[in-house]
């Protein structure tokens, strides 16, 4: 199965609500990154959290990392219709030559 | 500073033809990665290159696929004798030489359709 597995697979919320997406992984990591992909487009880097960090903020984004549970969460506060996209977590495993391992992604729909 | 450039954005090939996908990394970046994304799937690592060197090609199929990153010019992902199963979006990413080297910046992708 995937190194990074996100859940839920799909999430639909109302504009203004918070969206929480989770990611679990299997091996030891150097860092974990979250990316956003709009339909038919490339990936946009959102945030990177290192293995020795527990929480990080960037604007309306909050990422947590629990290495003991091998899991991470991405929280988007006060969601907007423009946040509608697929979100992927990607891990950079130790000894893996910087290659990223992606999950299948979470499809977020924010209703106006 | 222009982002990662990929061309073509869309490529249609018939079975048996060759596909050449190009990637120009961001200025100052010498690390290039290629990933493939099948419909409704996440990205799968294919190959990691630095200038004139293949560092890790563990995700690349052994046959028909090759990649290069010459001293001058873009990185090229080449698929010979394409088959329908090669239809996918191919993304290139680059990272800087130092500093935030772990962060990979992605191009818009090349969508390959094999008829």
């Amino acid at each position: 199965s995937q190194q990074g597995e996100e859940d839920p697979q799909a999430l639909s919320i109302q504009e203004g609500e918070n969206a929480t997406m989770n990611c679990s992984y299997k091996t030891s990591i150097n860092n974990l990154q979250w990316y956003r992909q709009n339909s038919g487009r490339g990936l946009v880097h959102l945030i990177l959290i290192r293995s020795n960090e527990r929480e990080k903020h960037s604007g309306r984004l909050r990422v947590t990392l629990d290495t003991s549970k091998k899991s991470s969460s991405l929280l988007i506060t006060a969601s907007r219709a423009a946040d509608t996209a697929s979100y992927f977590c990607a891990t950079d495993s130790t000894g893996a030559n910087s290659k990223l391992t992606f999950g299948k992604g979470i499809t977020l729909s924010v209703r106006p | 500073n222009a982002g990662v450039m990929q061309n073509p954005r869309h490529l249609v090939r018939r079975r048996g033809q060759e596909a050449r996908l190009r990637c120009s990394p961001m200025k100052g970046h010498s690390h290039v990665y290629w990933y493939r994304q099948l419909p409704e799937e996440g990205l799968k690592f294919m190959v990691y290159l630095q200038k004139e060197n293949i560092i890790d090609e563990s995700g690349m199929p052994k046959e028909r696929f090759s990649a290069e990153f010459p001293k001058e010019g873009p990185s090229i992902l080449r698929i010979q004798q394409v088959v329908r199963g090669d239809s996918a979006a191919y993304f290139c990413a680059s990272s800087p030489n130092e500093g935030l080297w772990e962060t990979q910046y992605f191009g818009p992708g090349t969508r390959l359709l094999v008829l």
Side-chain angles (χ1 to χ4, degrees), chain A residues 40-53:
Chain A
R41 308 291 291 274
L43 274 75
V44 174
H45 183 263
L46 295 177
I47 199 165
L48 179 153
I49 186 165
R50 290 192 170 78
S51 60
N52 61 352
E53 297 176 311

Side-chain angles (χ1 to χ4, degrees), chain A residues 68-81:
Chain A
S68 66
K69 293 181 180 177
K70 291 187 167 56
S71 66
S72 172
S73 67
L74 171 67
L75 169 67
I76 304 175
T77 59
S79 64
R80 305 166 182 166

Side-chain angles (χ1 to χ4, degrees), chain B residues 3 8 15 27 41 45 54-55 57 82 84 89 95 98-99:
Chain B
R15 281 178 296 170
K27 189 176 180 181
E41 295 277 330
F45 168 80
I54 295 175
I55 307 301
E57 56 182 348
V82 295
R84 289 220 173 104
S95 62
E98 56 187 42

